[in-house]
Amino acid sequence: MKHLFVINPTAGKTDRSHEIRAEIEELAREMGFPCEIILTRGPMDAADIVQRAAGQGDELRVYACGGDGTLNEAVNGAAGYPHVAVTQYPTGSGNDFIRIFGKDTSRFSDLRELVEGETAEFDLIDCNGRLCLNICSVGLDARIAAGMQSFKKLPFLSGRGAYALSTLYHVLRGISRPYEAEVDGRHFSGDFTMLVAASGRYYGGGMYVMPEAEPDDGRIEFLLVRKVTVLKVAEVIGDYKTGNYRRHPDLATHLTGKEMAILSREGRTAINIDGEVMMSREVRLSLSPRKIRFIFPRGARWESTFFADPI
């Protein structure tokens, strides 16, 4: 079995690639396993690296050393190869997908636990041809994420500051946008704040948006949040972030299914895919026939045991 460590040197607040490389090399010597270490150089580089390695046909374990974006790229490179398994060594700022493992999430920061870990087959969501392991969304959250990229370029502004400024900017410009949406043949039309498709439960740096989601149940959880007023946005978003969207049945519609199509009436719209941003007027989301073998620490479990507070 081969072990491939893909390091994103731009993940997190500082470049830890030298430190991570040293940790990997020390563990490989101690445990006696062959490994290859490659640093990414740009967007989707991790996907290309993993796909090339997967194409060699050897049993392969891939360790995405970075955040949710690095993990997403590794998954896109490995999907469809039954001899390849993927995991995350979390060095990014969000690391949201692995939060489904609850109290065992911290164990992903132990490389030995991952090398000795077990695997399970997880579902993937196809979003306009790009695969998603965790959550896809369209709406206010995706626009804020897209805006952050511009605000980050401002001097002396931290990542948190860029997020706050982008949030203020997009709230003032209008919280909702007009969309057409169809979930498994059921049609919805009007102004929406957010449209979400989830296989995982957390995104956006720890927002617990979809308590019902399971990564291996062969279905997608959809959440459609209709127009929210400025006066009510803080309350609704607060409940949304803690999995309590059910407190707003007049605004939030939860559905379970296999596919959703979205059409933006205002032209191209931002799409969040595991923390990465794409732009398109039409969005097609579906349960992918491809799966991913995911590595996790032995004995760790992801089944949901928490339910949102009753209404």
Side-chain angles (χ1 to χ4, degrees), residues 1 4 20 36 47-48 84 95 110 138 184 188 194 228 252 262 299 309:
M1 180 186 295
L4 171 62
I20 295 168
E36 184 176 9
D48 293 337
V84 181
N95 310 314
D110 185 332
V138 170
D184 287 358
F188 301 85
M194 283 174 287
V228 178
I262 302 169
D309 295 337

Side-chain angles (χ1 to χ4, degrees), residues 143-154 162 166 275-277:
R143 295 198 304 276
I144 290 171
M148 273 187 67
Q149 306 308 314
S150 298
F151 287 115
K152 276 183 178 179
K153 298 175 183 177
L154 296 176
S166 183
E276 302 297 295
V277 177

Side-chain angles (χ1 to χ4, degrees), residues 78-202:
Y81 291 97
H83 59 283
V84 181
V86 175
T87 192
Q88 181 188 11
Y89 180 58
T91 62
S93 55
N95 310 314
D96 282 310
F97 177 71
I98 59 174
R99 293 176 192 263
I100 64 171
F101 289 89
K103 60 182 177 58
D104 290 311
T105 300
S106 60
R107 296 172 63 191
F108 280 81
S109 296
D110 185 332
L111 277 173
R112 182 185 293 272
E113 290 251 41
L114 298 180
V115 172
E116 296 177 339
E118 55 184 304
T119 66
E121 196 172 70
F122 283 176
D123 299 323
L124 296 172
I125 300 171
D126 186 312
C127 177
N128 285 9
R130 180 159 175 175
L131 297 174
C132 166
L133 176 65
N134 190 26
I135 290 176
C136 291
S137 63
V138 170
L140 179 62
D141 54 345
R143 295 198 304 276
I144 290 171
M148 273 187 67
Q149 306 308 314
S150 298
F151 287 115
K152 276 183 178 179
K153 298 175 183 177
L154 296 176
F156 312 113
L157 194 64
S158 66
R160 183 170 294 182
Y163 178 82
L165 201 55
S166 183
T167 299
L168 178 63
Y169 174 78
H170 286 286
V171 166
L172 292 176
R173 287 196 66 191
I175 297 167
S176 306
R177 292 286 186 274
Y179 294 100
E180 302 285 337
E182 187 173 289
V183 179
D184 287 358
R186 186 174 173 184
H187 187 258
F188 301 85
S189 179
D191 289 347
F192 291 90
T193 302
M194 283 174 287
L195 301 149
V196 180
S199 188
R201 301 181 198 122
Y202 296 85

